[in-house]
Amino acid sequence: MTSLSADILHDILKRLDGAALARAGCACADLRDISREEELWENACRSLWPSTDHDDVRSLIISVGGFRKFYADCFTLILNKDVPAVQTNKTNLFAEEWDESDYYYYFDDTDELEKVFPSDFVSLIDIQYKDRALYSNIIWGIPSSDGSNGWFNNCPFRIDVFHHSPENNDNNDGEVFLSTINDLPSVPSLEQERKDGKLWRDLNDGIKLSWIMINPKMKLAVNLSSWHPLGGQRHWPTDTDFVLRYGSVLPAKEVLPCQVAKCILLMKFRMTSTGNEETGEPSTLALTELNMQIEDMEGVHLNGHRSLLVLKEALSCHRSRNYSEVLDSCHLYLRAHSQLKEEKIRSECRFDTLCIVTGITVFAALCVMCYRKFERF
C-alpha cells in the first residue's frame, strides 16, 4: 500500500460506492485520509442519487455540511421503535394530557407558525429500476402551499410529484416508461399476469425509491423512503394498474397524541401495452402517480402545518443501515395500527349495542305504561 501514490489511491477509491468507500477508510491511515475527500463522496452521491448532479443542489448540500455528511444522513433509513401501545381500557387511546380537540389538528397559533415554513424544505426524488436511474426530480419548497397562511395549514397535506394520464397523451410531458427493453418481464396477457404475478414480483424487487427532505435552515437531511416497497396492490383500481407503497414511521412526540406518524409514498404504474412477441412490440408500463401524504395511527391525513412539524422532527430522528430492523419497526407500527382499528370497531359495536338495548328498554317501558292506562279504562 505504501508503494502506491496518493493519486493512484484516489483513482481507485473514486470507483467505489459510498458503503465500500466508508469500509475502505477503516483499513489504514492513508486510505482514511483520502476517503474523507469531498470529491469522492460527491461521486458516490451522484451515482446513487442522480438528482444531486445539479449546481444548485451541489451548493445546497455543501451548505448543509458537505457530501460526506449528506451520504451518512440519507443512505441510512429512519428507525422508530417508539410506537405507543394501544390502551384498550381507556376512552382516550393515547396520552392523557392530550384533549379531544387535539385530534382535529386545526391550527390557529401565529407564534408556532413562525417556527416552520413550506419554503424551509427541499425534496430530492430518485427512482431506480434494477440499479438504473428511471426518474429524478427536485422540488424547492412545498408545491401549492399558498405561502405561510391560507388553506394549506388546515387542509390535508399532499405532495404530487408526478401525475400522468396515459389516456390523454397530448397534455403530458416528461413521461416515464418501463418496458422489456429495460429488462421488464414480458407479459403475454393480463390473465397470465394475474395467475403467476411475475411482473408484480419484478416491480417489488426492482423498483427503488428515494425521497430525501432537506432543511437548509437546520442544515439537516433525511430519507423518508424505505428504498424497497413496504406493500402494494395489484390490479387496483383497474386490471392494468400496479400500486407500490413506500414510506417510514416518523416521530411526532410533540405534535400528535399518538406520538408517531406514517409517511406514505405512493407510486402507481399502468400497463399501456402487453406486448406482442410476433411483431416485436415490447410490454410497457407508464408511471402515472407519485405522491406523499402523512397520516396518524387512526388513518387521518394530517394537515399542512402538522405535517411540516412532523417533517421537522424527522430531520433529527434515529437512523439505521439495517433494513431488516427498519422493516420490523414498520411492522410494529402496522400491528399497533391494526389493534387501534379493531379497538375502535369494538367500541363502536359496544356503543351500538348500548343504543339498541336502551331503545328496546324505552320502547318496552312505553308499551307497559300504555297497557296499564288501557286497563284502567
Side-chain angles (χ1 to χ4, degrees):
M1 186 69 68
T2 56
S3 62
L4 299 177
S5 66
D7 293 336
I8 294 177
L9 292 176
H10 183 278
D11 187 66
I12 294 173
L13 293 182
K14 75 178 184 180
R15 304 173 189 274
L16 303 179
D17 60 18
L21 182 60
R23 289 192 294 267
C26 301
C28 64
D30 292 336
L31 289 179
R32 182 182 68 245
D33 294 337
I34 298 176
S35 66
R36 292 179 177 177
E37 295 183 9
E38 278 292 291
E39 181 183 352
L40 297 176
W41 289 102
E42 183 176 352
N43 291 335
C45 288
R46 288 181 175 180
S47 176
L48 186 58
W49 300 293
S51 59
T52 61
D53 192 13
H54 294 80
D55 292 338
D56 48 357
V57 176
R58 183 178 185 274
S59 300
L60 173 64
I61 293 175
I62 292 174
S63 69
V64 299
F67 283 92
R68 184 166 176 259
K69 178 179 180 295
F70 178 82
Y71 191 98
D73 289 341
C74 300
F75 181 75
T76 52
L77 300 178
I78 294 175
L79 177 64
N80 188 356
K81 294 183 178 180
D82 298 329
V83 178
V86 177
Q87 303 296 327
T88 59
N89 59 342
K90 294 182 180 180
T91 304
N92 187 344
L93 300 176
F94 301 112
E96 292 181 353
E97 60 269 19
W98 291 81
D99 296 327
E100 183 178 357
S101 59
D102 292 324
Y103 286 85
Y104 294 95
Y105 313 131
Y106 289 110
F107 177 76
D108 191 21
D109 190 342
T110 54
D111 294 334
E112 185 71 14
L113 181 61
E114 295 177 357
K115 296 181 181 179
V116 58
F117 295 92
S119 58
D120 292 343
F121 299 91
V122 180
S123 295
L124 306 182
I125 302 133
D126 294 281
I127 302 176
Q128 295 181 354
Y129 176 66
K130 296 184 178 179
D131 297 326
R132 292 192 294 268
L134 180 63
Y135 173 80
S136 294
N137 198 359
I138 304 165
I139 301 178
W140 300 88
I142 306 297
S144 304
S145 57
D146 192 26
S148 59
N149 294 305
W151 61 268
F152 172 79
N153 291 319
N154 293 320
C155 289
F157 175 83
R158 180 186 176 103
I159 300 179
D160 283 300
V161 179
F162 191 93
H163 185 78
H164 166 73
S165 176
E167 292 80 7
N168 189 9
N169 291 322
D170 295 336
N171 297 326
N172 291 286
D173 298 323
E175 297 93 341
V176 178
F177 293 101
L178 268 178
S179 69
T180 49
I181 300 175
N182 308 111
D183 295 335
L184 191 73
S186 177
V187 182
S189 66
L190 288 174
E191 291 75 13
Q192 184 64 32
E193 167 60 22
R194 279 193 291 268
K195 291 179 181 179
D196 56 32
K198 184 178 180 181
L199 176 60
W200 174 247
R201 290 193 300 271
D202 186 82
L203 290 176
N204 275 273
D205 296 337
I207 297 289
K208 293 174 63 177
L209 172 65
S210 171
W211 190 312
I212 296 172
M213 192 71 74
I214 305 174
N215 189 314
K217 291 184 179 180
M218 298 176 63
K219 298 186 182 299
L220 294 173
V222 65
N223 196 337
L224 300 173
S225 182
S226 52
W227 283 116
H228 299 282
L230 297 174
Q233 289 176 279
R234 298 170 58 190
H235 314 300
W236 187 91
T238 68
D239 287 343
T240 58
D241 287 309
F242 300 86
V243 178
L244 299 174
R245 289 188 177 87
Y246 303 76
S248 53
V249 180
L250 308 180
K253 295 182 178 179
E254 304 299 327
V255 184
L256 301 177
C258 54
Q259 302 179 14
V260 292
K262 185 178 182 181
C263 177
I264 302 174
L265 308 176
L266 186 143
M267 187 189 307
K268 182 185 290 186
F269 287 90
R270 174 166 294 180
M271 179 167 288
T272 58
S273 173
T274 56
N276 190 318
E277 295 182 357
E278 296 180 357
T279 61
E281 182 181 358
S283 300
T284 306
L285 288 176
L287 177 63
T288 58
E289 284 187 37
L290 178 60
N291 60 65
M292 174 202 291
Q293 290 182 302
I294 300 178
E295 66 176 28
D296 65 7
M297 287 187 66
E298 295 187 4
V300 178
H301 292 290
L302 304 189
N303 64 23
H305 180 70
R306 293 286 180 179
S307 297
L308 293 183
L309 292 177
V310 171
L311 291 175
K312 181 180 179 181
E313 188 171 344
L315 289 165
S316 55
C317 68
H318 186 62
R319 327 279 173 87
S320 175
R321 292 178 297 175
N322 190 334
Y323 181 73
S324 298
E325 192 176 19
V326 173
L327 195 61
D328 289 341
S329 69
C330 292
H331 290 162
L332 179 64
Y333 174 89
L334 291 176
R335 285 195 295 270
H337 175 74
S338 298
Q339 291 175 4
L340 176 59
K341 187 176 181 179
E342 292 172 0
E343 178 58 27
K344 288 185 65 177
I345 293 175
R346 285 194 293 267
S347 298
E348 291 174 357
C349 290
R350 287 194 292 266
F351 180 76
D352 291 343
T353 302
L354 179 61
C355 290
I356 293 172
V357 171
T358 303
I360 293 174
T361 303
V362 172
F363 178 76
L366 291 175
C367 291
V368 171
M369 291 174 60
C370 293
Y371 178 76
R372 289 178 177 178
K373 286 183 178 180
F374 282 118
E375 279 188 334
R376 293 175 183 176
F377 292 105

